[in-house]
Amino acid sequence: MSRVLAYERVRAATLKSTYVFPLVGAAVAWAASILFVTLGSDVDEVNAGAFIGQVFTPISAVFLTIPFAQAFGHEYRDGTMRLALSEYPQRSRLFFAKLLVPAVIAFVATLITVAISALIAWLGAEFFDYAQITGLSSLGGVAAREAGFVVLWGLLVAAITALTRNMGAGIAGVLVWGLVLENLIALFLVDRIPVIVEWLPIGQGFGWVQTGDAALIVPMVVAAAVLTAISYLKFVRTDA
């Protein structure tokens, strides 16, 4: 397993996009943080968790999870998946390495993104007459939930990419589902089938990040697990 993990680390590390895309996602959150601080606040106190929830948008999640799509999409696009499977014939190990390496990248990048966003808020309160930042003691939990949410988002991206063998489909598929289809489902079916809203994975995942209610993350965990299992079965049973 160490050899295949080393292969995935080298593959990811030698791609400039592995650094560029997560940096773009982080920069979006940092730019939003600076904008909020610059515009000021109508209240005297702002909770750190609420601030992070406002500046860390789905756009950041999209860019932070692109390495998940690249892990499968680049190999299929460039025709190197056959070479990888020839070198590492135990497909299960290769599959999980392609999930683990980008998961670590996304997790660490999200923690850094949240930490610097919180620092910007604190500096705004200290030097730019922004509202006083409260709830800093809960910042660790908020950061962990944001990172967990991003990893689950990434698993969905990786699963769709592995199923379709198309990087764009993986990236756009999760984004469209989370921001468009879930909103339409909630809008048209909330009165007829109220329980369906409670099982919309992306929306409930956002709720978990904001509130910390563990029950809200269950739909996203289930969706990620099911899609990952399906993509795993296809990966180990079909030709590259």
Side-chain angles (χ1 to χ4, degrees):
M1 187 65 183
S2 60
R3 288 182 63 244
V4 71
L5 282 173
Y7 164 77
E8 277 301 309
R9 286 198 304 270
V10 171
R11 184 200 58 76
T14 52
L15 291 171
K16 290 182 180 179
S17 54
T18 299
Y19 311 100
V20 172
F21 284 123
L23 182 59
V24 170
V28 170
W30 298 337
S33 301
I34 293 171
L35 182 62
F36 273 103
V37 168
T38 303
L39 293 177
S41 175
D42 296 332
V43 297
D44 295 329
E45 295 183 349
V46 173
N47 182 271
F51 182 87
I52 297 301
Q54 289 179 317
V55 302
F56 197 97
T57 64
I59 296 176
S60 291
V62 169
F63 282 102
L64 287 165
T65 54
I66 285 179
F68 281 92
Q70 292 174 328
F72 292 93
H74 278 174
E75 298 262 44
Y76 283 121
R77 183 195 66 188
D78 298 334
T80 56
M81 186 63 82
R82 289 179 181 272
L83 298 177
L85 291 172
S86 297
E87 184 68 22
Y88 307 102
Q90 293 180 305
R91 295 191 174 200
S92 295
R93 293 185 178 183
L94 183 61
F95 180 84
F96 288 112
K98 285 184 173 296
L99 296 182
L100 182 59
V101 170
V104 172
I105 293 170
F107 192 89
V108 173
T110 302
L111 293 181
I112 294 172
T113 301
V114 171
I116 295 181
S117 295
L119 177 62
I120 292 171
W122 180 80
L123 290 173
E126 291 294 319
F127 301 105
F128 296 97
D129 199 29
Y130 187 62
Q132 187 67 32
I133 303 300
T134 62
L136 290 174
S137 60
S138 65
L139 193 60
V142 173
R145 291 197 298 274
E146 289 283 9
F149 174 81
V150 168
V151 169
L152 288 171
W153 182 301
L155 290 177
L156 293 172
V157 170
I160 295 174
T161 302
L163 285 169
T164 62
R165 302 188 177 186
N166 186 291
M167 192 169 70
I171 297 169
V174 180
L175 182 63
V176 171
W177 172 262
L179 299 188
V180 179
L181 295 181
E182 284 197 4
N183 287 328
L184 291 176
I185 291 171
L187 178 64
F188 290 108
L189 297 181
V190 65
D191 293 329
R192 299 178 182 179
I193 316 175
V195 71
I196 197 170
V197 178
E198 300 176 6
W199 284 95
L200 296 177
I202 303 297
Q204 294 296 91
F206 276 122
W208 170 69
V209 171
Q210 295 166 1
T211 66
D213 183 355
L216 296 178
I217 196 58
V218 172
M220 196 170 185
V221 171
V222 171
V226 170
L227 278 177
T228 300
I230 294 172
S231 62
Y232 166 76
L233 291 175
K234 180 179 180 180
F235 185 80
V236 298
R237 292 184 179 182
T238 60
D239 293 334

